[in-house]
Amino acid sequence: MRAIVLLDGEPRFRPYPFAPPVEGPVRRAVDDAAGVLARTSGRFDGPVAFCHGVGRDGTILRRKGRYAEAMVVFEEPSLAYRLGFALGVQLFVERPEGPTLFQLRGPSIGRDPLLWTASASGGLGPGESPGDAVLADAAEEIGLDEDDLPGFRPVAVVTSDDTGSALVVYHAGLRKGAEPEPDPVKVAELAWAQAPTELGAQVSGDALASWAALERWRAERTGTPA
């Protein structure tokens, strides 16, 4: 199940005033995840942002947490209602003639390795602007900066029970003459397609949820059914 809130501008944030109770089996799962992170080169245990609700106006209740908590939520998304939905960002870059850019995540990426996802994506820090975060992801992953992305704008926030994520979704065009240049470590392959169903391979749950939000935004703009 997905809950989609369309945006007229950048989302606003309010602090979530409570620390969620982490005890019993959930505590053991978080501790185990922290141990995995400590033993894995290049990985760290936070801090990351969690979403504990989205208002109709797009205001997000945000909490500072640990990446170990996010790992537990990704493994068991039903725990998002206790620990919060892990906050992330997704960007879809669309050519003027219609196709959208998708990337196949590199095999060493911690989240969704070797799955197709949006043009660029990533997690969100506790005090980080989602717009700044996704532009940084685009620059790092596919070599595109804001000047290459006309019409860059937020379109929706989507929470997904299937993935345990709350995602701020962005859309942009592609500047004439600009072409993505993928980072060979972060990105295994790029493809242009009209929809994720054309990719012919497994697509990440976060990308599917974000695509549904993008389709809802497009339908609202054109007045056609989603």
Side-chain angles (χ1 to χ4, degrees):
M1 185 173 124
R2 299 166 188 147
I4 298 170
V5 177
L6 299 181
L7 296 172
D8 292 325
E10 291 289 340
R12 294 180 293 276
F13 293 94
R14 290 174 52 201
Y16 185 67
F18 308 108
V22 182
E23 55 195 10
V26 177
R27 165 57 66 189
R28 289 192 291 275
V30 171
D31 289 345
D32 288 346
V36 169
L37 290 170
R39 295 190 298 271
T40 307
S41 176
R43 303 294 296 278
F44 70 105
D45 191 10
V48 297
F50 288 85
C51 165
H52 286 268
V54 183
R56 292 183 179 180
D57 64 351
T59 299
I60 298 171
L61 287 175
R62 179 167 58 180
R63 173 182 73 85
K64 177 181 178 180
R66 301 164 53 193
Y67 190 70
E69 296 172 285
M71 288 179 63
V72 171
V73 171
F74 294 150
E75 183 70 24
E76 181 46 71
S78 65
L79 290 175
Y81 289 95
R82 290 185 60 180
L83 295 174
F85 290 82
L87 262 170
V89 287
Q90 301 253 320
L91 168 66
F92 291 100
V93 178
E94 185 177 348
R95 284 194 184 278
E97 59 269 28
T100 298
L101 179 66
F102 295 89
Q103 66 158 280
L104 182 67
R105 304 276 280 173
S108 63
I109 298 298
R111 176 74 167 149
D112 294 335
L114 294 177
L115 294 181
W116 287 97
T117 186
S119 311
S121 60
L124 192 63
E128 195 172 16
S129 157
D132 290 345
V134 81
L135 287 171
D137 292 327
E140 292 170 7
E141 296 173 6
I142 55 175
L144 297 176
D145 61 29
E146 190 169 6
D147 290 339
D148 298 317
L149 302 170
F152 172 79
R153 59 159 293 166
V155 300
V157 181
V158 56
T159 54
S160 172
D161 289 348
D162 294 331
T163 67
S165 297
L167 302 160
V168 185
V169 182
Y170 288 79
H171 177 268
L174 182 67
R175 178 179 58 81
K176 184 177 180 180
E179 290 295 335
E181 298 181 3
D183 180 298
V185 174
K186 296 178 181 293
V187 181
E189 187 178 343
L190 294 177
W192 293 92
Q194 297 290 345
T197 52
E198 294 185 359
L199 295 170
Q202 191 169 0
V203 180
S204 79
D206 281 349
L208 291 174
S210 297
W211 183 260
L214 179 64
E215 291 284 82
R216 175 81 62 82
W217 173 72
R218 285 171 168 161
E220 287 285 329
R221 292 180 73 203
T222 60
T224 59

